[in-house]
């Protein structure tokens, strides 16, 4: 197995989970309904757990630093998350739409990984897939409800959120130089395959929500190579503040 | 010392988020190996990957086994056996119910339809005329429901 290709895959997945976890957690205490506040907080907690599990595999199998060091001690340029997860939460419509598009991508990705030849990842995938069903159920319920069963305003807001999110959502599938080696080794099916499965997955829900899928859009790439939006560094600064002051602090 | 002695000792350890049920009845202990009277290995699997209580439970399990006078205790946490609510014991289900948490029905882990959450039996009156309010509750493993029969909000232990 090509170790550097495998590490590349694990790191981009872990960084996506870590950053989206932080964004979702920003709804804690501010959700529009108590149930929604709890939902976003719970999903954030799950994502953080997934990030930790991925960093732990990198630590145990490839000698990379401890999960806390990976999460808290890297600067922007060493992060491999996509731009989609970095964007600020915006209004609730955008947060929900991002949650739906990103969780659908995670679901097809982790489902594919249950067949991975890299056993630790396949075992984790089986476990995580069960959790993602709840994330998707939540996202799909709201996208359909606000798109098709709400008011003219809720439909317009969801359509606008979809238009805004789409180029960034396509950026989740930025091709990586590692893909060919991962496909050859049977570790991962590659970003192109995941993109196609994702499109087939989200289309029925968006259609049911009477939302129009944008076409002719260029994907926003760069995150996997360490180029990020202006929003990432402020997030990292806030997230790592306590750890940087005192790495041995317990809280 | 036998495997049963170790399990008996671990039975006193509970999930800090749901103190009504022991870690054994939760089904999170996936293996117990008594290597000799002085060396025991226990394997645990977390309910959720991000379960914040796992470190506390790991520590408590280790202490419980040490309480038997065992010097070398290793507690490993891994996903080799993935946790599912199907691993709850009958005793565990009864404990959850008594605690006011609706226990999940056994299900096929490969084909979970979340519609099952819509008619969970109410832990207070037993009615199936209930509604899922949210798949997310006060801890990762719980969901929020409402009983239309006795008009009582309740929590469920969600099937995973």
């Amino acid at each position: 197995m090509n170790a550097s290709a495998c590490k590349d895959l694990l790191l981009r997945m872990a960084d996506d989970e870590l950053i989206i976890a932080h964004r979702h957690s920003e709804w804690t205490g501010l959700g529009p309904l108590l149930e929604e506040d709890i939902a976003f907080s719970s999903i954030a907690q799950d994502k953080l757990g997934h990030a930790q599990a991925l960093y732990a595999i990198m630590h145990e199998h490839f000698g990379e630093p401890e999960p806390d060091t990976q999460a808290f001690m890297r600067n922007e340029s060493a992060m491999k998350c996509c731009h989609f997860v970095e964007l600020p939460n915006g209004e609730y419509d955008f947060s929900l739409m991002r949650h739906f598009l990103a969780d659908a991508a995670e679901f097809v990705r982790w489902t594919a990984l249950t067949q991975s030849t890299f056993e630790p990842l396949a075992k984790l995938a089986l476990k995580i897939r069960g959790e993602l069903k709840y994330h998707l159920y939540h996202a799909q319920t709201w996208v359909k409800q606000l798109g098709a069963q709400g008011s003219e305003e809720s439909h317009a807001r969801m359509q606008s959120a979809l238009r805004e999110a789409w180029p960034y959502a396509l950026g989740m599938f930025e091709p990586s130089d590692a893909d060919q080696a991962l496909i050859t080794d049977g570790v991962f099916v590659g970003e192109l395959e995941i993109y196609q499965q994702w499109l087939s997955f989200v289309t029925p829900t968006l259609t049911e929500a009477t939302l129009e899928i944008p076409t002719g859009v260029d994907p926003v790439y760069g995150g996997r190579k360490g180029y990020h939006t202006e929003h990432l560094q402020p997030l990292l600064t806030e997230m790592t503040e306590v750890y940087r002051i005192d790495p041995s602090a317990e809280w | 010392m036998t495997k049963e002695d170790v399990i008996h000792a671990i039975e006193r350890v509970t999930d800090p988020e749901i103190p009504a049920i022991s870690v054994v009845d939760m089904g999170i202990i996936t293996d117990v190996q008594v290597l000799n009277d002085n060396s025991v290995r226990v394997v645990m699997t977390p309910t959720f990957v991000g379960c914040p209580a796992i470190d506390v439970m790991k520590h408590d399990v280790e202490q419980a086994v040490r309480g038997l006078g065992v010097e070398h205790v290793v507690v490993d946490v891994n996903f080799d056996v993935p946790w599912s609510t199907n691993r709850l014991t009958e005793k565990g289900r009864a404990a959850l119910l008594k605690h006011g948490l609706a226990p999940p029905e056994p299900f096929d882990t490969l084909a979970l339809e979340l519609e099952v959450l819509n008619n969970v039996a109410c832990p207070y009156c037993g009615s199936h005329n209930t509604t899922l309010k949210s798949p997310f509750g006060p801890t990762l493993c719980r969901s929020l429901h409402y009983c239309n029969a006795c008009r009582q909000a309740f929590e469920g232990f969600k099937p995973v």
Side-chain angles (χ1 to χ4, degrees):
Chain A
M1 191 181 67
N2 184 321
S4 79
C6 199
K7 277 196 285 187
D8 181 276
L9 173 68
L10 292 168
L11 189 59
R12 55 186 139 108
M13 288 176 62
D15 286 352
D16 275 2
E17 299 266 15
L18 178 70
I19 302 305
I20 198 75
H22 188 85
R23 284 296 183 221
H24 285 344
S25 79
E26 289 176 341
W27 281 111
T28 303
L30 300 172
L33 300 166
L34 180 60
E35 286 83 352
E36 285 306 283
D37 194 311
I38 296 169
F40 265 91
S41 305
S42 299
I43 294 167
Q45 200 180 344
D46 278 335
K47 303 297 186 203
L48 196 60
H50 303 170
Q52 189 184 23
L54 287 163
Y55 292 133
I57 291 179
M58 295 183 72
H59 177 59
E60 281 165 35
H61 295 270
F62 300 110
E64 293 293 311
E66 298 267 354
D68 276 2
T69 312
Q70 287 279 47
F72 296 132
M73 292 302 278
R74 281 180 300 147
N75 278 322
E76 189 187 323
S77 59
M79 298 292 294
K80 294 293 162 64
C81 51
C82 62
H83 291 193
F84 196 31
V85 296
E86 301 169 13
L87 298 176
N89 281 341
E91 301 216 15
Y92 209 61
D93 45 39
F94 180 76
S95 271
L96 278 175
M97 187 54 79
R98 170 167 61 184
H99 160 37
F100 169 62
L101 298 173
D103 267 307
E106 267 205 51
F107 189 71
V108 294
R109 184 179 295 270
W110 282 109
T111 300
L113 287 170
T114 58
Q115 305 298 318
S116 176
T117 51
F118 183 43
E119 207 184 358
L121 194 54
K123 279 179 179 164
L124 183 64
L126 202 59
K127 176 75 194 154
I128 286 182
R129 198 174 171 275
E131 299 181 9
L132 286 175
K133 286 183 176 180
Y134 288 97
H135 302 186
L136 266 181
Y137 175 89
H138 177 259
Q140 282 174 318
T141 304
W142 280 111
V143 167
K144 284 192 253 184
Q145 195 159 329
L146 294 172
Q149 296 151 32
S151 63
E152 199 178 310
E153 187 193 351
S154 74
H155 178 271
R157 276 175 171 267
M158 293 311 275
Q159 183 64 61
S160 151
L162 179 59
R163 210 173 292 126
E164 192 189 340
W166 199 256
Y168 292 97
L170 299 181
M172 292 189 284
F173 314 103
E174 179 173 351
S176 160
D177 295 340
D179 272 7
Q180 198 47 55
L182 293 167
I183 294 169
T184 307
D185 290 344
V187 171
F188 177 55
V189 293
E191 295 297 336
L192 182 61
E193 170 69 23
I194 295 298
Y195 161 68
Q196 285 161 350
Q197 289 184 20
W198 170 80
L199 194 60
S200 315
F201 189 95
V202 297
T203 300
T205 302
L206 294 173
T207 305
E208 203 181 318
T210 68
L211 298 172
E212 199 181 312
I213 298 177
T215 51
V217 175
D218 287 331
V220 177
Y221 289 156
R224 309 301 187 204
K225 301 215 159 40
Y227 303 111
H228 297 284
T229 64
E230 62 194 12
H231 308 294
L232 182 61
Q233 190 55 51
L235 181 156
L236 293 175
T237 306
E238 183 185 282
M239 185 175 75
T240 61
E241 196 178 0
V242 175
Y243 192 82
R244 282 175 194 272
I245 292 169
D246 180 4
S248 65
E250 288 190 15
W251 75 93
Chain B
M1 180 166 24
T2 64
K3 190 174 163 178
E4 282 65 38
D5 294 334
V6 176
I7 291 173
H8 186 67
I10 300 176
E11 265 182 336
R12 286 197 297 272
V13 178
T14 58
D15 179 342
E17 289 185 338
I18 310 166
I21 179 170
S22 99
V23 290
V24 174
D25 291 321
M26 281 276 279
I28 63 176
I29 304 294
T30 52
D31 198 12
V32 173
Q33 296 161 0
V34 178
L35 305 170
N36 57 53
D37 276 358
N38 219 7
S39 184
V40 169
R41 177 172 182 255
V42 179
V43 184
M44 303 173 71
T45 189
T47 53
F48 278 70
V49 177
C51 175
I54 194 73
D55 285 338
V56 176
M57 290 188 277
K58 183 182 169 183
H59 173 262
D60 291 352
V61 165
E62 195 182 320
Q63 290 304 310
V65 181
R66 278 192 201 289
L68 294 170
V70 179
E71 213 169 311
H72 303 290
V73 184
V74 175
V75 182
D76 284 331
V77 176
N78 63 41
F79 302 105
D80 287 358
V81 179
W83 184 80
S84 145
T85 40
N86 290 341
R87 292 185 57 82
L88 286 161
T89 64
E90 277 310 313
K91 198 174 144 201
R93 283 174 200 278
L96 287 176
L97 193 61
K98 202 174 158 201
H99 193 61
L101 275 170
E105 301 295 328
F107 68 101
D108 175 0
T109 45
L110 292 176
L112 170 63
E113 294 298 331
L114 295 178
E115 282 68 31
V116 299
L117 280 169
N118 257 328
N119 299 100
V120 169
C122 171
Y124 301 109
C125 74
S127 170
H128 283 271
N129 179 14
T130 64
T131 310
L132 172 69
K133 299 303 278 185
S134 173
F136 298 100
T139 68
L140 291 183
C141 47
R142 296 190 243 177
S143 47
L144 302 176
H145 306 258
Y146 185 75
C147 176
N148 300 311
C150 70
R151 294 172 186 267
Q152 173 91 9
F154 67 92
E155 291 173 17
F157 206 81
K158 64 195 183 201
V160 174

